[in-house]
Amino acid sequence: MPIKQISVVLPVFNEESIIEKLAKEIEKNIEYPMEFVFINDGSTDNTLETLKKYRTEKKNTQKKIIDLARNFGHQQALMAGLSSVSPDSDMIVVMDADFQDAPEDISRLINQIEKGYDCVYAVRTANSGSRLIDFSTKFFYKIQKLFLRFTIPSNAGTFSVFNREVLDNILEFKESEIYFPGLRAYVGLNQTGVPVKRGARAYGESKVGKMGLLNLSMSGILGFSIVPMRAIFLFGVLVTIFCFFLGIVIFLLKISGITKVMGVTTILIFMLGLFGIQIMFVGIVGEYVGKLFIEAKKRPRWIIRKVIDDK
């Protein structure tokens, strides 16, 4: 089926120095009629003014600006943008606005869509440059594969192209805690990945700190699986069985006089170890309870201050 129009969804936060250049590069790499959906995620610099100016420069590409009331976070801003895609668009491109996702790779993803895929995502092949982040990323994906009943592709972030069917299914998800690569993978349908080199940030500094990456990682695991809860239960069963038999062994050793029973120091170390494990498990349970608390309040996932478009 021929592509009628492509919507490019770009969440933006304090990117006044690069957003116009990025948009123009994207235009060069898309041959189809297109629209931009910019989501200004509470920027504190001149990003909004830059977008307004760029919107008036060229009329053959539709440009829509979603100005959020404050900073709601990248994932929420992305969902706000997807909710505002034109009904005329039958193909959607989502990517970050920091030039780490190369505009020239868009055509490579679209080429795969034209072969009949419903969704094509970019798979990063280059390391981040930080050993800690690279190690943490590999560990995260291994844990994810262990816990989840479906596969979230490794090293596949936001950058992707998908059709209207995938978009409509993604918009059915109403949770507040969002991990977009997980939602995209959960939809299923006919998906494939394209290897890309993700370069260093061209301008400025990353807006997502280590805590932001940690929160996203937790959402990527706890938001799609209850296996950690079951693992806690099974561990508790195993510890109970172990302690039961250990008690029998200690009792038999004591009454037989074969050897001395473990001293107070050994018992204290053992108890402190179990106490640390208990605290960790309570923290995991707390994460689930916290997510339930957030979802139960059903607050708006984002608030739009103003929509600026041609209508």
Side-chain angles (χ1 to χ4, degrees), residues 140 143-144 147-148 216-225 228 288:
F140 163 71
I143 294 296
Q144 204 174 57
F147 285 170
L148 270 56
L216 197 60
S217 300
M218 295 292 282
S219 295
I221 295 174
L222 303 184
F224 294 91
S225 175
Y288 280 104

Side-chain angles (χ1 to χ4, degrees), residues 23-308:
K24 290 179 178 178
E25 287 296 318
I26 292 173
E27 284 188 274
K28 293 178 184 178
N29 286 276
I30 294 181
E31 300 175 352
Y32 298 94
M34 61 175 293
E35 74 158 353
F36 278 111
V37 181
F38 299 104
I39 309 94
N40 180 41
D41 190 22
S43 297
T44 56
D45 61 359
N46 292 318
T47 295
L48 181 59
E49 287 70 25
T50 302
L51 289 174
K52 288 179 179 178
K53 179 183 176 183
Y54 171 64
R55 180 178 166 274
T56 61
E57 286 183 1
K58 200 173 182 180
K59 291 297 183 182
N60 60 340
T61 298
Q62 299 179 45
K63 304 179 183 73
K64 182 185 297 181
I65 303 172
I66 311 298
D67 185 25
L68 300 185
R70 63 170 177 83
N71 179 260
F72 285 87
H74 177 272
Q75 301 289 287
Q76 300 288 7
L78 176 59
M79 293 298 288
L82 292 175
S83 300
S84 303
V85 165
S86 168
D88 297 327
S89 296
D90 51 2
M91 201 62 58
I92 296 88
V93 176
V94 294
M95 59 192 300
D96 293 335
D98 55 7
F99 259 114
Q100 286 189 279
D101 296 330
E104 54 266 26
D105 287 328
I106 295 176
S107 58
R108 297 177 57 210
L109 272 61
I110 292 177
N111 287 340
Q112 294 299 313
I113 287 287
E114 291 172 335
K115 293 179 181 179
Y117 288 100
D118 298 303
C119 176
V120 182
Y121 49 84
V123 180
R124 299 185 294 268
T125 58
N127 294 330
S128 68
S130 168
R131 291 184 179 180
L132 176 61
I133 292 178
D134 290 338
F135 172 79
S136 301
T137 300
K138 290 179 181 178
F139 179 74
F140 163 71
Y141 284 118
K142 286 183 179 179
I143 294 296
Q144 204 174 57
K145 288 181 179 179
L146 180 65
F147 285 170
L148 270 56
R149 292 185 176 181
F150 65 100
T151 301
I152 299 179
S154 300
N155 298 314
T158 300
F159 189 18
S160 52
V161 179
F162 45 87
N163 62 23
R164 192 83 201 188
E165 183 179 6
V166 174
L167 172 65
D168 291 340
N169 279 284
I170 288 176
L171 293 179
E172 289 295 319
F173 298 105
K174 304 300 181 183
E175 59 254 47
S176 298
E177 295 287 306
I178 296 170
Y179 177 63
F180 179 75
L183 299 184
R184 185 182 60 209
Y186 190 90
V187 168
L189 299 176
N190 192 14
Q191 302 195 17
T192 190
V194 172
V196 301
K197 289 185 178 180
R198 197 168 197 258
R201 205 176 204 280
Y203 304 90
E205 298 179 353
S206 173
K207 310 301 188 300
V208 182
K210 290 183 174 60
M211 285 303 298
L213 292 174
L214 177 61
N215 290 335
L216 197 60
S217 300
M218 295 292 282
S219 295
I221 295 174
L222 303 184
F224 294 91
S225 175
I226 61 170
V227 171
M229 297 281 284
R230 290 178 177 171
I232 291 173
F233 171 74
L234 292 175
F235 182 82
V237 171
L238 292 175
V239 169
T240 301
I241 294 173
F242 172 76
C243 290
F244 175 76
F245 284 104
L246 181 62
I248 294 176
V249 171
I250 291 175
F251 175 74
L252 293 176
L253 289 175
K254 184 175 182 179
I255 63 174
S256 64
I258 296 175
T259 184
K260 291 184 178 180
V261 180
M262 293 182 293
V264 175
T265 302
T266 304
I267 295 174
L268 283 175
I269 293 173
F270 183 71
M271 290 179 64
L272 286 173
L274 282 179
F275 180 71
I277 293 172
Q278 286 179 327
I279 293 297
M280 180 182 67
F281 285 172
V282 168
I284 293 175
V285 174
E287 285 287 333
Y288 280 104
V289 173
K291 290 181 181 297
L292 286 173
F293 173 69
I294 292 172
E295 297 294 341
K297 289 185 290 186
K298 297 186 181 301
R299 289 177 178 170
R301 294 182 292 170
W302 58 82
I303 297 173
I304 297 175
R305 187 200 311 271
K306 189 176 183 181
V307 177
I308 305 171

